[in-house]
Amino acid sequence: MKLRTDLHIASETDKGVVRNFNEDSIAVNRELGLIVLADGMGGYKAGEVASNMATNLIVDELQSKLGNGSGRGSLLYAEPQKLIREALEKTNKLIFRLANQEETYHGMGTTLVLMQFYDSRATIAHVGDSRLYRWRQGYFELLTRDHSLLQEQVALGMISFTDARYSHNRNLVTRALGTGAEVDMDIREIDVQPGDLYLLCSDGLNDMVDDFNIELAMNELQGNLPLMARQLVLMANDNGGHDNVSVIVAQVPLAPSSGGGLKTTFFNWLKRLWS
Amino acid sequence: MAKLVVSIENDVQGHYFLDKDKFVIGRNEDCDLCLNDADVSKLHAHIITLENDQILEDTFSRNGVRVNGEKVVRHILQNNDTIEIGRFQLKYINQRASSNMDFDKTMLLDATPSLIAELEETIETKSWTQPNKVISISREIKCKFPLGGVRGIKGEYSGQEILISRPLKTFGRPGQLAMISRRPMGYYVTHVEGRKPTRLNGRSIGSASILLKEKDVIDIAKQKLVFFLRE
């Protein structure tokens, strides 16, 4: 069993135009086929602590479970959601404990969105308003549903879709990691197809850039993922950059082959040197 | 705290703080804001406070509610909105609802209002099965973006003028692409992919993004394009 070591992945994180620090945190582990993004919240720099803890602890936890042993893939295949659920629950407890121990960290927490690839499937999980989008053969789709007051207000019919942009509740999340003894996450398994392109982002992107422009960048810049990631962040900042903005893009190669991915990466790297 | 300044033809009648979850406006004496006028219904409208939002709703009044001159049934109040009910003007004052900036910082909703908690259960059951409608809440662009484009003088766009009004457009062919991006300070050209470099006025631009000037010539794949700005 192999994990997605041949994924093409690029990421960017930026404090934006207005804020002094970056409370977002991202982690990419190609070996595990794991991408994680967190948007921290809390007092002075506490948000940064919470989001960093979240991304690091989850990667460490899954690394230790899946490790380098030969059975790592089968562990995922057997109970992928259980493994990830446990990693999130453990991380939640550790952040919550620190928040209660240290006064400066009191009330800190973080949103989280992650994707764990294994061959033709992946598990996706999220808490809060960080998002996961998918581009598949020209179809662009949001796969997560924000845990935010605004989303609830719309779902309840209190606010129309068109009025949502005038709401002042855009930033209020109804769920977070590390703010309670238990965590309420959305988690599910999805199929993965060659050519799929996934985008994990913090609300600093989708609050500043319309979905059809996010789609435009994903559609047009598939031949250069690092440029795609930079361009998404740039667009958020060009529109005002009110918040920290982070993106991770992951592309499933068209022809899955063992080792081919690495070669392509090397080739692309050479090409970039050349040009 | 947000408040309403009530006046009749610029003659201020009083100030009312919106300090309740539901603030009722009407002709009835027990309304939070009683407007004694024949054109006002007994229960004319109310304002619901939900965290940072205050939502004005017409409660099936006979003569309706206007905000800034337009008839509304439901409206998320913004600082300095003028609500008209009968011959009364209600000015909505809320400094916090004026600057979007304060609300960009992600925060956890502390005490989830019971209303949401109750109704969340009904929503939860269909959260994954329901087609996921995307809430687009991105702000309208505040920065000024110039408008420009390219004229094709060789290749696919030869003889055509292409205005670039979206944040980016690519030129070339699959595997050999350049991007022109539209930014507040101007248009930039960047090589996207392909072994052959994108050329600007005959010179390779490498992996740099370069600010375009009028009459700059871009070569990508077999296309030759001339940049222009529209005043």
Side-chain angles (χ1 to χ4, degrees), chain A residues 62-93:
Chain A
L62 289 172
Q63 177 85 54
S64 76
K65 285 278 162 63
L66 301 172
N68 289 317
S70 53
R72 61 180 195 181
S74 43
L75 202 57
L76 256 183
Y77 274 83
E79 290 176 297
Q81 294 184 24
K82 182 165 174 280
L83 212 61
I84 288 159
R85 184 180 291 278
E86 283 170 359
L88 260 68
E89 280 166 355
K90 189 171 174 185
T91 302
N92 180 68
K93 283 208 171 68

Side-chain angles (χ1 to χ4, degrees), chain A residues 131 133 201-209 211 214, chain B residues 137-138:
Chain A
R131 290 181 168 185
Y133 290 94
C201 67
S202 58
D203 64 342
L205 179 70
N206 53 272
D207 268 6
M208 303 308 300
V209 183
D211 275 16
I214 295 176
Chain B
I137 53 172
S138 69

Side-chain angles (χ1 to χ4, degrees), chain B residues 34-49:
Chain B
C34 174
L35 301 174
N36 203 347
D37 188 272
D39 287 338
V40 179
S41 298
K42 284 178 187 165
L43 298 172
H44 198 106
H46 60 219
I47 295 170
I48 305 278
T49 298

Side-chain angles (χ1 to χ4, degrees), chain A residues 126-129 145-149 172-175 184 186:
Chain A
H126 86 289
V127 182
D129 64 356
R145 180 175 168 276
D146 296 350
H147 301 137
S148 68
L149 181 59
L172 294 176
V173 297
T174 50
R175 302 189 205 171
D184 190 7
D186 278 353

Side-chain angles (χ1 to χ4, degrees), chain A residues 36 53-55 57-59 61-62 65 79-98 110 112 114 125-127 175-187:
Chain A
V36 192
M53 276 181 84
T55 51
L57 288 170
I58 287 165
V59 173
E61 180 66 14
L62 289 172
K65 285 278 162 63
E79 290 176 297
Q81 294 184 24
K82 182 165 174 280
L83 212 61
I84 288 159
R85 184 180 291 278
E86 283 170 359
L88 260 68
E89 280 166 355
K90 189 171 174 185
T91 302
N92 180 68
K93 283 208 171 68
L94 289 168
I95 299 173
F96 188 53
R97 190 194 297 166
L98 184 65
T110 181
L112 187 102
L114 74 76
H126 86 289
V127 182
R175 302 189 205 171
L177 201 66
T179 52
E182 305 288 326
V183 60
D184 190 7
M185 69 190 85
D186 278 353
I187 183 164

Side-chain angles (χ1 to χ4, degrees), chain A residues 140-160:
Chain A
F140 178 69
E141 199 183 346
L142 176 64
L143 298 184
T144 51
R145 180 175 168 276
D146 296 350
H147 301 137
S148 68
L149 181 59
L150 186 61
Q151 177 80 48
E152 304 293 355
Q153 283 176 283
V154 172
L156 300 178
M158 296 177 68
I159 296 182
S160 71

Side-chain angles (χ1 to χ4, degrees), chain B residues 4-216:
Chain B
L4 293 175
V5 180
V6 179
S7 54
I8 301 174
E9 286 167 14
N10 295 326
D11 190 10
V12 174
Q13 311 286 306
H15 295 233
Y16 296 82
F17 285 101
L18 296 171
D19 51 1
K20 302 172 73 177
D21 289 345
K22 184 170 161 186
F23 183 91
V24 181
I25 304 165
R27 201 174 70 233
N28 272 358
E29 273 181 26
D30 56 358
C31 285
D32 299 300
L33 171 57
C34 174
L35 301 174
N36 203 347
D37 188 272
D39 287 338
V40 179
S41 298
K42 284 178 187 165
L43 298 172
H44 198 106
H46 60 219
I47 295 170
I48 305 278
T49 298
L50 190 61
E51 297 298 324
N52 300 324
D53 276 345
Q54 294 189 304
I55 305 164
L56 171 71
E57 291 182 302
D58 183 338
T59 47
F60 307 101
S61 69
R62 192 154 40 88
N63 294 317
V65 177
R66 286 175 178 275
V67 175
N68 306 326
E70 286 193 38
K71 194 160 177 152
V72 301
V73 174
R74 183 183 283 153
H75 173 80
I76 304 171
L77 290 167
Q78 309 288 320
N79 189 34
N80 285 324
D81 273 351
T82 301
I83 306 163
E84 292 167 73
I85 293 177
R87 61 199 176 100
F88 298 91
Q89 291 92 49
L90 286 52
K91 185 104 172 165
Y92 174 74
I93 309 285
N94 184 1
Q95 296 300 340
R96 290 197 66 203
S98 59
S99 153
N100 266 326
M101 225 68 108
D102 296 342
F103 301 111
D104 287 320
K105 208 175 172 75
T106 309
M107 291 192 302
L108 181 71
L109 191 56
D110 273 341
T112 309
S114 54
L115 169 76
I116 293 295
E118 261 171 46
L119 290 155
E120 196 173 24
E121 289 182 3
T122 51
I123 301 165
E124 259 338 279
T125 53
K126 45 181 176 173
S127 65
W128 285 120
T129 49
Q130 199 183 19
N132 208 344
K133 209 158 177 184
V134 179
I135 300 184
S136 180
I137 53 172
S138 69
R139 251 60 58 81
E140 269 154 52
I141 292 161
K142 293 193 183 84
C143 317
K144 276 225 159 92
F145 285 68
L147 189 60
V150 289
R151 246 183 307 275
I153 50 174
K154 204 177 112 190
E156 191 187 342
Y157 297 108
S158 192
Q160 291 177 45
E161 206 166 75
I162 299 137
L163 217 51
I164 302 167
S165 55
R166 294 188 62 184
L168 66 99
K169 182 166 173 62
T170 53
F171 294 90
R173 55 174 168 76
Q176 187 71 46
L177 283 177
M179 165 177 80
I180 296 181
S181 53
R182 183 180 182 220
R183 308 191 52 197
M185 354 23 175
Y187 284 81
Y188 288 77
V189 62
T190 313
H191 183 67
V192 178
E193 60 176 319
R195 217 177 312 179
K196 281 190 176 170
T198 299
R199 292 182 181 279
L200 181 64
N201 302 323
R203 289 176 59 184
S204 163
I205 62 169
S207 58
S209 287
I210 297 182
L211 181 65
L212 290 169
K213 300 183 300 294
E214 286 229 70
K215 295 181 181 159
D216 272 350

Side-chain angles (χ1 to χ4, degrees), chain A residues 185-198:
Chain A
M185 69 190 85
D186 278 353
I187 183 164
R188 63 169 168 151
E189 194 179 51
I190 59 167
D191 74 302
V192 168
Q193 293 178 11
D196 277 0
L197 179 61
Y198 295 91

